[in-house]
Amino acid sequence: MAPVAIRELREHLAYLKPIDIGRVEEAYQFSDAAHQGQFRKSGHPYISHPLAVAQILAEWQLDGQAVVAALLHDVMEDTAVTKDEISQRFGRAVADLVDGVSKLDRLEFQSQQDAQAENFRKMLLAMARDVRVMLIKLADRLHNMRTLDAVDPEQRRRVARETLEIYAPIANRLGLDSLYREMQELAFKHLYPLRYRVLAKAVRSARGNRRQSMERILEAIRERLAKGEIEATVTGREKHIFSIYKKMAEKHLSFSQVLDIYGFRVTVRDVPGCYLALGTLHALYKPVPGKFKDYIAIPKVNGYQSLHTTLIGPYGMPVEVQIRTQAMNRIAETGVASHWLYKSTDAEISEAQQRTHKWLQSLLDIQNTSGDAAEFLEHIKIDLFPDEVYVFTPRGRIMSMPRGATPVDFAYAVHTDIGNRCIAAKINDELAPLRTELNNGDRVEIVTAPHASPNPAWLSYVKTAKARAQIRHFLKTMQAEESRALGKRLLNQQLRAFGAKETEVPAERWNKLIKESSAKSQQEILSDIGLGKRLAAIVARKLLALSEQQPAVGKAPGSIVIRGSEGMAVQFARCCNPIPGDPIVGFIKKGEGLVVHTHDCPTARKSRGDPEKWIDVEWDPDTDRMFDVNIRTILLDQRGVLAKVAAAIAGAGCNISNVSIESDHSMYATNYFTVQVANRMHLAKVMRALRRVPEVMRIARVKE
């Protein structure tokens, strides 16, 4: 089998220079020797797989290095061959390509999911440096999908699902349309075999019934274009089974209701010819309103360009038509591979390359802000959505966003700093909530403020990977900085209690503690203290070389002063909602930092088990923020009473953030207000103002 396959490969290599063909043949000999005695599950010699992958790349006419790497792509993973050997024999570039494609099977992971996530991360980052890594991997996956019948059903389903969720969307993102369609079709066939067989049978039956109509439409289109002196190639095609299934699932249709299972493609010489052909076809058959899409004026993210229209053909049959130039057709078929295929100055190809480069660069940005491989993969999955909406910046620049994107996604797409400083948005010159979903044609303007910062609530509605990654990164960084500052204060408090100062702790003590605790730095230890992962008392003892039993000599620790501006490192307990003026106590909670309770809080009383986790805290006389307080009022249920109460609260210089009402249709109603006050004196002023309202029967602060 192999000699036949290598002859077929040679036939596809005519576009390469003789020296490159020689390198490919040398790589074949090397790979054949390395895989000697190995067989695929189908029973074929293993070399048949790298040969098939190389042939797919040769059909795309990729350069010699990529074809050589395709022949060698499994030798590092499945044989004893090392990267250095490949580098010495075939060059560093080929070795890097092979390494990028190879899995990380030799490392140990917590689970199969971790291993998969790390493999994808490594591969995608290698792709960001050289897109040929992904082209080789996609060709590898395509051949594996074509031969998937040989593996057991469970593995078949796993590989098919992975292909549908990750590899097919990546192929689409890179503009490899025919590969994308074939991968979807094969994945659907193996993931849902019964559904595939039923639909395939239905399509075969419908094919016979509709063939005459399709031939008639094809002939009519050709005649009308020729009459209009438009030079064009017209082809008809049957829709893929997966596309039909997707339409049935999304629109809840039966197969008989999916009428447009055939489509036509019109290929013309230039862009004006596309619009002339469109006008001619609209004169031939009536277009379906709302079914026209102009991807020439506004290309897809992957560089895809075409005019799409749906016409009402004979017998009321809807007919989908795509109109494009030959250059657009090349990009639609081969995507980023067109860079190697057609090294011309085509504006369309260079623009497609720029878009791809921008996306690949975004992978590196997301990696820099992601915590681990699983989080990185989660971001990438979000970013592989095929549906887009197109919105405009205030200066009229078009930006492509995933469907469901919000002004926050838009802000981060413009620039990370714009996203981090975003406070409001205008959509079509009107203020709109930040969670508003953007629609095609929206004009979006972001309002920023110098001291603004991302809100954790944004994570619940942002859609793009970049926005999600940057928000998480900012919040983690802020939490780390704030927890370090708190940790330093807690440690200094404890050192003072032991009769020492931070400046008196020698550097070697810190170095010894860092080494013993497996921390990376002094900053990490301080951050851990602030987050409650380490106890300040234990760290202080180790720094002062005190044993656990040795009594601490010194004064009692002083109180930590709470200013209210510590950020995420200091949390105010929801169970008692402390405000300045309340007697308070602090509890170090692991992973959350310092949690402040009122002195008489029942929840705090239950958690008094570990005295070292409880610390004395006191309010700073000049706190610089507002605090939420819940107030319960019992009112006479009369018209206009709520307005009177709201006016009284506002008159006391207080903002209402929430109102809820309980009424049993009697004379009285119970109202709950969440108001924002500066301290207990401010709260007392609010309550006095409420008591002056005649309809207020009873008023009380609610801590639970």
Side-chain angles (χ1 to χ4, degrees):
M1 179 187 170
V4 176
I6 191 64
R7 281 200 300 274
E8 287 177 6
L9 178 59
R10 282 195 198 102
E11 288 169 12
H12 285 90
L13 295 176
Y15 67 94
L16 290 178
K17 294 175 184 174
I19 189 169
D20 288 330
I21 295 173
R23 299 288 280 171
V24 170
E25 291 186 349
E26 185 186 347
Y28 163 70
Q29 300 294 342
F30 184 88
S31 183
D32 189 27
H35 290 297
Q36 197 68 42
Q38 293 180 351
F39 293 89
R40 305 198 83 211
K41 289 188 178 177
S42 61
H44 294 121
Y46 197 88
I47 189 63
S48 63
H49 171 62
L51 265 171
V53 174
Q55 189 165 325
I56 291 168
L57 296 188
E59 287 167 8
W60 295 343
Q61 296 194 0
L62 256 67
D63 63 333
Q65 285 181 344
V67 179
V68 167
L71 285 165
L72 303 172
H73 79 271
D74 275 337
V75 294
M76 278 174 58
E77 188 182 329
D78 296 335
T79 74
V81 175
T82 63
K83 184 178 178 181
D84 287 339
E85 286 179 65
I86 296 172
S87 185
Q88 287 167 16
R89 188 89 176 261
F90 299 100
R92 182 60 189 264
V94 170
D96 286 341
L97 288 174
V98 174
D99 185 48
V101 178
S102 297
K103 292 179 186 172
L104 300 180
D105 289 346
R106 289 174 186 152
L107 298 181
E108 290 183 8
F109 296 99
Q110 296 282 327
S111 66
Q112 174 68 20
Q113 285 81 5
D114 288 347
Q116 280 297 81
E118 186 60 38
N119 287 332
F120 282 125
R121 187 181 69 87
K122 183 190 180 206
M123 191 174 57
L124 287 165
L125 293 177
M127 178 183 78
R129 289 186 285 272
D130 191 338
V131 76
R132 291 175 297 176
V133 169
M134 184 52 73
L135 294 174
I136 296 167
K137 186 63 188 177
L138 289 172
D140 170 49
R141 178 51 64 110
L142 178 61
H143 184 249
N144 282 335
M145 290 300 294
R146 286 172 177 173
T147 56
L148 205 57
D149 288 314
V151 302
D152 63 82
E154 189 179 338
Q155 187 181 350
R156 207 181 301 162
R157 282 191 295 273
R158 181 181 61 77
V159 173
R161 182 172 284 108
E162 195 177 87
T163 302
L164 208 54
E165 288 180 1
I166 298 287
Y167 289 104
I170 288 175
N172 182 42
R173 199 68 165 70
L174 297 180
L176 297 152
D177 190 63
S178 56
L179 175 65
Y180 167 60
R181 304 287 174 197
E182 187 178 352
M183 276 189 166
Q184 281 188 324
E185 197 79 347
L186 290 168
F188 177 54
K189 178 183 174 182
H190 292 294
L191 198 55
Y192 304 110
L194 185 60
R195 297 179 201 183
Y196 181 86
R197 284 198 299 272
V198 169
L199 277 177
K201 186 179 177 183
V203 168
R204 282 195 299 273
S205 301
R207 190 183 295 156
N209 301 336
R210 300 179 188 179
R211 181 172 291 158
Q212 193 176 353
S213 303
M214 301 316 294
E215 287 173 359
R216 182 180 163 189
I217 294 168
L218 192 63
E219 196 56 40
I221 291 173
R222 283 174 179 158
E223 281 180 17
R224 183 57 68 96
L225 291 172
K227 198 174 177 182
E229 297 183 354
I230 299 168
E231 192 180 317
T233 305
V234 186
T235 54
R237 62 184 180 86
E238 198 173 79
K239 274 197 170 183
H240 288 84
I241 291 170
F242 181 75
S243 299
I244 296 169
Y245 171 73
K246 203 168 155 190
K247 189 166 189 176
M248 288 169 63
E250 285 175 359
K251 299 192 175 180
H252 307 290
L253 303 173
S254 66
F255 179 78
S256 59
Q257 292 173 301
V258 182
L259 299 172
D260 51 342
I261 66 167
Y262 283 93
F264 295 93
R265 183 172 297 157
V266 178
T267 311
V268 297
R269 277 191 307 181
D270 52 24
V271 172
C274 292
Y275 292 98
L276 282 171
L278 179 74
T280 303
L281 294 181
H282 282 188
L284 174 64
Y285 297 123
K286 292 288 180 282
V288 177
K291 288 286 186 178
F292 168 65
K293 288 176 183 173
D294 188 343
Y295 292 121
I296 293 178
I298 305 175
K300 287 190 176 185
V301 180
N302 60 17
Y304 175 87
Q305 288 184 291
S306 192
L307 296 177
H308 288 199
T309 186
T310 303
L311 311 171
I312 299 295
Y315 316 115
M317 183 187 295
V319 178
E320 281 191 4
V321 183
Q322 298 171 349
I323 306 168
R324 59 178 71 152
T325 65
Q326 290 167 357
M328 291 170 193
N329 200 49
R330 293 201 297 264
I331 294 171
E333 293 301 316
T334 54
V336 292
S338 59
H339 176 60
W340 288 276
L341 224 72
Y342 306 98
K343 292 185 176 165
S344 62
T345 56
D346 280 356
E348 297 104 321
I349 291 175
S350 62
E351 194 178 336
Q353 291 301 313
Q354 286 169 10
R355 281 198 187 88
T356 304
H357 176 74
K358 190 177 177 183
W359 181 61
L360 296 177
Q361 190 59 44
S362 77
L363 295 183
L364 295 176
D365 295 341
I366 292 166
Q367 158 61 15
N368 292 336
T369 54
S370 296
D372 55 26
E375 189 178 306
F376 175 72
L377 183 59
E378 177 200 336
H379 294 325
I380 296 305
K381 278 186 176 181
I382 293 165
D383 211 30
L384 289 174
F385 278 116
D387 295 333
E388 298 122 9
V389 292
Y390 297 94
V391 296
F392 294 89
T393 67
R395 294 186 179 180
R397 185 161 68 93
I398 296 170
M399 294 191 69
S400 171
M401 308 295 295
R403 192 163 297 283
T406 64
V408 177
D409 293 295
F410 175 86
Y412 278 103
V414 174
H415 197 279
T416 301
D417 287 344
I418 302 281
N420 286 342
R421 305 291 171 226
C422 167
I423 56 166
K426 288 182 180 178
I427 300 176
N428 303 323
D429 297 320
E430 291 186 6
L431 280 169
L434 290 176
R435 66 185 313 130
T436 307
E437 287 192 7
L438 300 176
N439 296 310
N440 272 323
D442 281 346
R443 184 174 174 276
V444 187
E445 184 182 346
I446 300 298
V447 182
T448 60
H451 303 296
S453 61
N455 187 330
W458 292 355
L459 289 170
S460 65
Y461 54 78
V462 291
K463 283 288 183 287
T464 58
K466 182 178 180 182
R468 189 172 294 275
Q470 291 293 349
I471 293 164
R472 281 183 176 170
H473 177 65
F474 187 93
L475 294 175
K476 281 179 187 173
T477 305
M478 285 297 295
Q479 187 182 33
E481 289 173 3
E482 290 164 357
S483 59
R484 272 200 296 274
L486 176 64
K488 190 171 183 179
R489 288 166 67 192
L490 291 170
L491 182 62
N492 285 341
Q493 179 203 45
Q494 201 62 54
L495 288 171
R496 284 196 300 273
F498 290 165
K501 295 180 182 175
E502 187 192 15
T503 51
E504 295 172 7
V505 178
E508 57 266 23
R509 283 279 172 206
W510 270 112
N511 293 334
K512 186 181 178 187
L513 177 62
I514 290 166
K515 194 173 180 181
E516 285 176 357
S517 58
S518 303
K520 292 176 184 173
S521 63
Q522 180 179 336
Q523 302 301 320
E524 186 182 318
I525 291 174
L526 292 174
S527 181
D528 284 352
I529 293 170
L531 287 170
K533 294 178 182 177
R534 299 176 196 268
L535 290 176
I538 294 173
V539 173
R541 281 180 182 277
K542 287 181 178 177
L543 287 173
L544 300 174
L546 297 173
S547 70
E548 291 293 322
Q549 291 76 29
Q550 190 175 344
V553 179
K555 57 185 178 180
S559 297
I560 292 287
V561 176
I562 302 297
R563 303 184 184 95
S565 57
E566 289 84 357
M568 288 177 280
V570 174
Q571 313 285 326
F572 295 98
R574 295 289 181 93
C575 51
C576 52
N577 285 337
I579 61 172
D582 287 337
I584 51 174
V585 65
F587 176 70
I588 299 291
K589 191 171 183 182
K590 190 172 182 180
E592 292 184 24
L594 180 62
V595 182
V596 178
H597 293 264
T598 58
H599 214 275
D600 58 351
C601 174
T603 306
R605 205 176 296 124
K606 288 176 191 172
S607 310
R608 292 276 174 139
D610 191 344
E612 288 200 323
K613 288 190 176 182
W614 288 93
I615 56 173
D616 287 330
V617 290
E618 62 182 47
W619 293 106
D620 188 307
D622 301 313
T623 52
D624 56 358
R625 60 164 277 188
M626 303 298 277
F627 296 81
D628 283 348
V629 175
N630 296 317
I631 296 174
R632 182 178 65 239
T633 59
I634 297 176
L635 313 171
L636 277 172
D637 198 357
Q638 296 177 358
R639 183 180 295 174
V641 68
L642 194 58
K644 287 183 182 179
V645 170
I649 292 172
C654 189
N655 183 47
I656 302 171
S657 60
N658 190 43
V659 181
S660 63
I661 301 169
E662 290 179 6
S663 176
D664 57 1
H665 303 290
S666 65
M667 288 177 61
Y668 303 100
T670 304
N671 286 27
Y672 292 90
F673 294 92
T674 301
V675 297
Q676 294 176 328
V677 298
N679 48 43
R680 274 173 69 122
M681 289 177 66
H682 189 188
L683 176 61
K685 181 182 176 184
V686 173
M687 295 178 90
R688 280 197 300 273
L690 285 172
R691 286 194 179 99
R692 286 196 287 268
V693 177
E695 290 85 355
V696 175
M697 299 291 102
R698 193 170 297 169
I699 182 169
R701 176 183 174 186
V702 181
K703 289 189 178 181
E704 286 293 335

